[in-house]
């Protein structure tokens, strides 16, 4: 009852005409969540899937067009093999189990990152999930997998250099470089959320977050709910975005 009231309150405070078009989330704190409960880290990752569902459903309900989730960084390979293996298994489980729900919510899945370097079975499940949700027209859910922002810029520059060899007239400017990033068909995030209190970007979307509003919560990712997302949006709508200008006030 109390949570329902809170949700209705929060929703009433959100202006649906001024929603962030793209929300990006650094889902952090699964390990700490598990540690607090004296559980293995993987139990935290498993509980994190619940929070993924919460974030996805909240965006679908409101009609946020783009949601990007940082699920596995290019640097996360530094973790113990056992944790990586379990993370990949969880990802496969999510992809296989969730297709029906994603379709029900009209969500189109996409991925960014060096996907070719992921284990083959993961790539196969990704391919299936991408195909089976490709005709959906609602929220576009992008999973960042084996993603690193510096690697992304390197990949973009390499692709651009290759194009330049064929067509020397290409102008190099910000718009051109943007077209070679993994995110070429997604607008820059308006709102960047990080859970579990860490004040860093951890190599996530460095180019794209140039003017994103940043919202950090101490809540650990597995405890993240739809209400947290509604709060973030409400706070976002109170901010004044200036893009280096003088703003309105
Ligand atoms: C985020 O939780 C999930 C991934 C990076 C895959 P962590 O595993 O980083 O949890 P903490 O930061 O150790 O609490
Ligand atoms: C960022 O979290 C990566 C993901 C959420 C997938 P990390 O837990 O890997 O980041 P650091 O190591 O604390 O910077
Ligand atoms: Mg972490």
């Amino acid at each position: 009852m109390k949570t329902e009231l809170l949700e209705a309150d929060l929703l009433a405070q959100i202006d649906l005409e001024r929603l962030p078009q793209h929300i990006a989330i650094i889902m952090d704190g699964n390990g700490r969540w598990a540690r607090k409960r004296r559980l293995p880290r993987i139990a935290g990752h498993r509980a994190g899937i619940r929070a993924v569902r919460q974030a996805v459903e909240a965006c679908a309900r409101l009609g946020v067009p783009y949601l990007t989730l940082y699920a596995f960084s290019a640097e996360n390979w530094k973790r113990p093999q056992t944790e990586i293996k379990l993370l990949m298994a969880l990802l496969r489980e999510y992809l296989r189990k969730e297709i029906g729900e994603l379709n029900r919510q009209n969500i189109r899945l996409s991925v960014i990152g060096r996907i070719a370097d992921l284990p083959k079975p993961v790539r196969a499940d990704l391919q299936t999930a991408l195909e089976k949700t490709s005709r959906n027209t609602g929220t576009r859910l992008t999973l960042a997998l084996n993603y690193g922002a510096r690697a992304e810029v390197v990949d973009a520059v390499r692709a651009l250099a290759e194009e330049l060899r064929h067509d020397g007239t290409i102008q190099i400017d910000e718009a051109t470089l943007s077209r070679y990033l993994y995110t070429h068909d997604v607008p820059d995030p308006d709102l960047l959320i990080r859970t579990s209190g860490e004040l860093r970007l951890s190599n996530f979307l460095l180019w794209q977050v140039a003017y994103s509003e940043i919202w950090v919560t101490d809540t650990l990712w597995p405890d993240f709910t739809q209400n947290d997302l509604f709060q973030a949006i409400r706070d976002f709508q109170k901010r004044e975005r200036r893009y280096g200008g003088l703003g309105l006030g």
Side-chain angles (χ1 to χ4, degrees):
M1 186 61 188
K2 192 155 170 257
T3 51
E4 275 170 35
L5 275 181
L6 187 61
E7 180 182 289
D9 268 2
L10 279 168
L11 283 171
Q13 292 173 51
I14 291 175
D15 178 355
L16 294 176
E17 302 292 314
R18 291 172 46 247
L19 287 176
Q21 296 299 290
H22 182 181
I23 299 177
I25 308 183
I26 302 172
M27 311 184 286
D28 198 17
N30 294 353
R32 276 161 279 179
W33 183 94
R35 195 193 176 131
K36 269 185 19 189
R37 288 162 179 76
R38 299 178 187 279
L39 294 169
R41 290 179 59 84
I42 193 66
H45 296 313
R46 186 170 280 285
I49 302 262
R50 271 205 311 262
V52 169
R53 293 200 179 98
Q54 292 279 309
V56 170
E57 190 172 336
C59 286
R61 280 175 69 192
L62 289 176
V64 172
Y66 299 91
L67 172 66
T68 299
L69 300 177
Y70 202 5
F72 191 86
S73 80
E75 287 74 29
N76 285 148
W77 299 107
K78 293 177 190 162
R79 296 190 179 197
Q81 269 304 314
T82 45
E83 181 172 347
I84 294 172
K85 274 205 166 131
L86 287 166
L87 274 169
M88 293 297 154
L90 257 186
L91 172 62
R92 293 190 62 198
E93 188 182 320
Y94 174 80
L95 291 170
R96 273 176 286 145
K97 278 196 184 160
E98 213 64 13
I99 292 175
E101 188 54 34
L102 293 177
N103 282 332
R104 197 183 64 74
Q105 296 184 48
N106 195 22
I107 288 160
R108 177 154 70 105
L109 191 68
S110 58
V111 285
I112 54 172
R114 286 189 174 160
I115 302 307
D117 296 337
L118 289 170
K120 202 171 172 193
V122 175
R123 278 184 281 138
D125 287 338
L126 267 175
Q127 198 52 45
T128 308
L130 292 176
E131 276 164 19
K132 291 199 167 162
T133 61
S134 65
R135 279 170 297 280
N136 294 336
T137 55
T139 300
R140 169 131 164 230
L141 167 62
T142 302
L143 298 180
L145 292 169
N146 190 20
Y147 175 88
R150 288 184 170 182
E152 177 182 31
V153 172
V154 168
D155 287 351
V157 171
R158 280 187 188 148
L160 182 52
E162 186 60 27
E163 283 295 307
L164 269 172
R165 287 202 315 133
H166 298 107
D167 176 3
T169 66
I170 296 175
Q171 293 292 317
I172 301 181
D173 52 25
E174 292 182 12
T176 310
L177 190 56
S178 295
R179 277 200 297 279
Y180 287 86
L181 295 173
Y182 307 146
T183 52
H184 57 90
D185 56 350
V186 173
D188 289 342
D190 300 296
L191 173 57
L192 173 71
I193 295 174
R194 181 163 189 149
T195 56
S196 81
E198 237 64 74
L199 300 175
R200 54 176 174 259
L201 291 170
S202 302
N203 202 16
F204 189 44
L205 301 176
L206 297 182
W207 171 279
Q208 297 88 338
V209 299
Y211 273 103
S212 303
E213 293 296 326
I214 300 175
W215 192 86
V216 176
T217 175
D218 284 332
T219 300
L220 303 174
W221 178 249
D223 293 327
F224 191 87
T225 63
Q226 296 197 41
N227 277 347
D228 291 305
L229 195 104
F230 297 150
Q231 261 178 53
I233 294 176
R234 182 201 55 189
D235 293 352
F236 163 84
Q237 291 185 332
K238 290 183 187 148
R239 307 246 187 113
E240 184 196 7
R241 302 181 79 185
R242 300 176 69 161
Y243 301 100
L246 292 180
L248 301 169

